[in-house]
Amino acid sequence: MRVVLAEDSVLLREGLVWMLGSAGMEVVAAVGDAESLLRAVDEHLPDLVVTDVRMPPTHSDEGLRAALVLRRQRAGLPIVVLSQYVEERYATQLLSTETSGIGYLLKDRVADVAEFVGALRRVAAGGTALDPEVVAQLLLRRHSDPLDRLTRREHEVLALIAEGRSNTGIADALVISEGAVGKHINNIFTKLELSGADGDHRRVLAVLRFLNI
């Protein structure tokens, strides 16, 4: 897997380069600002982009805006955005386009190497990886009647889907069988009125409704 990395902190950037290299990923470019990120993606055509939200010159949202530009220019390009804190506005901007191949993680997650690398691989494969704290913050503002039909367990399952967990990962997290997970997911689709005609997109649509995006 070929990765372009954008992070203005030299120490964190070099640490991520080493970490990803140890995980078998090739960091083809590691840069410290948004303009360099855009150039590096044009030059290397990576399989995955990992970028900080805040980068020079203003240290506000340059990394996020670069990510949005890349998604418009290269539909489906997998991108993981890293943030120091939960920033609801930024998460909403990123997720309002499409959730396939998108990740929004807090930098604290980097400390759990296996979990972090797993999230990157999931996004690179077209999945999602949303930090649990990001999901929790977004939930605070949702108001959606169809979701009120869900049971507590179905809410738990849908929250884990929003984090990008597979059925196996959900089963492990809730200590239930994969069969039970499948039944809960089918119930969720039914209650949210997502028909079989929506196919594999039903998980994405369910997440969008869950986050009220």
Side-chain angles (χ1 to χ4, degrees), residues 23-61:
M25 302 181 190
E26 179 186 2
V27 180
V28 294
V31 301
D33 62 80
E35 289 187 7
S36 297
L37 168 60
L38 296 174
R39 290 196 298 269
V41 171
D42 283 338
E43 178 182 352
H44 296 285
L45 302 177
D47 303 306
L48 175 69
V49 170
V50 179
T51 180
D52 189 8
V53 167
R54 300 175 181 269
M55 286 194 291
T58 68
H59 294 279
S60 56
D61 61 353

Side-chain angles (χ1 to χ4, degrees), residues 3-9 12-13 15-17 19-20 37 48-55 60-64 67 79-87 90-91 94 102-111 115-117 119-120 123 129 131 134:
V3 180
V4 166
L5 171 67
E7 166 59 56
D8 65 302
S9 167
L12 180 55
R13 185 168 68 239
L16 286 169
V17 169
M19 178 192 298
L20 299 184
L37 168 60
L48 175 69
V49 170
V50 179
T51 180
D52 189 8
V53 167
R54 300 175 181 269
M55 286 194 291
S60 56
D61 61 353
E62 283 86 352
L64 175 74
I79 297 177
V80 173
V81 171
L82 301 178
S83 181
Q84 189 69 43
Y85 310 102
V86 177
E87 298 177 275
Y90 296 156
L94 188 65
I102 283 292
Y104 189 105
L105 300 173
L106 297 184
K107 289 184 178 179
D108 288 348
R109 304 299 168 192
V110 175
E115 182 72 20
F116 180 66
V117 170
L120 297 189
V123 171
D131 195 283
V134 173

Side-chain angles (χ1 to χ4, degrees), residues 21-210:
S22 298
M25 302 181 190
E26 179 186 2
V27 180
V28 294
V31 301
D33 62 80
E35 289 187 7
S36 297
L37 168 60
L38 296 174
R39 290 196 298 269
V41 171
D42 283 338
E43 178 182 352
H44 296 285
L45 302 177
D47 303 306
L48 175 69
V49 170
V50 179
T51 180
D52 189 8
V53 167
R54 300 175 181 269
M55 286 194 291
T58 68
H59 294 279
S60 56
D61 61 353
E62 283 86 352
L64 175 74
R65 286 191 280 113
L68 294 173
V69 168
L70 290 171
R71 290 287 285 193
R72 286 196 299 269
Q73 292 178 342
R74 304 177 185 279
L77 174 65
I79 297 177
V80 173
V81 171
L82 301 178
S83 181
Q84 189 69 43
Y85 310 102
V86 177
E87 298 177 275
E88 180 185 317
R89 177 168 61 89
Y90 296 156
T92 302
Q93 283 182 263
L94 188 65
L95 295 169
S96 63
T97 54
E98 183 187 359
T99 59
S100 176
I102 283 292
Y104 189 105
L105 300 173
L106 297 184
K107 289 184 178 179
D108 288 348
R109 304 299 168 192
V110 175
D112 188 333
V113 176
E115 182 72 20
F116 180 66
V117 170
L120 297 189
R121 293 191 186 282
R122 190 161 66 242
V123 171
T128 58
L130 303 183
D131 195 283
E133 290 189 34
V134 173
V135 173
Q137 286 291 328
L138 292 173
L139 275 176
L140 291 177
R141 64 173 177 79
R142 73 151 181 86
H143 298 284
S144 181
D145 290 339
L147 290 172
D148 293 336
R149 305 172 192 166
L150 303 185
T151 65
R152 180 183 60 81
R153 178 64 85 186
E154 287 163 358
H155 271 284
E156 292 172 344
V157 169
L158 189 47
L160 291 169
I161 292 175
E163 291 174 23
R165 304 290 187 96
S166 66
N167 285 16
T168 301
I170 294 171
D172 291 342
L174 298 180
V175 195
I176 58 178
S177 69
E178 286 191 52
V181 171
K183 290 178 181 178
H184 287 310
I185 291 175
N186 285 333
N187 288 339
I188 291 167
F189 291 157
T190 298
K191 292 178 180 180
L192 296 184
E193 300 177 355
L194 298 172
S195 70
D198 294 313
D200 293 337
H201 298 296
R202 287 192 294 175
R203 290 176 83 98
V204 173
L205 293 172
V207 168
L208 292 175
R209 293 192 186 182
F210 181 61

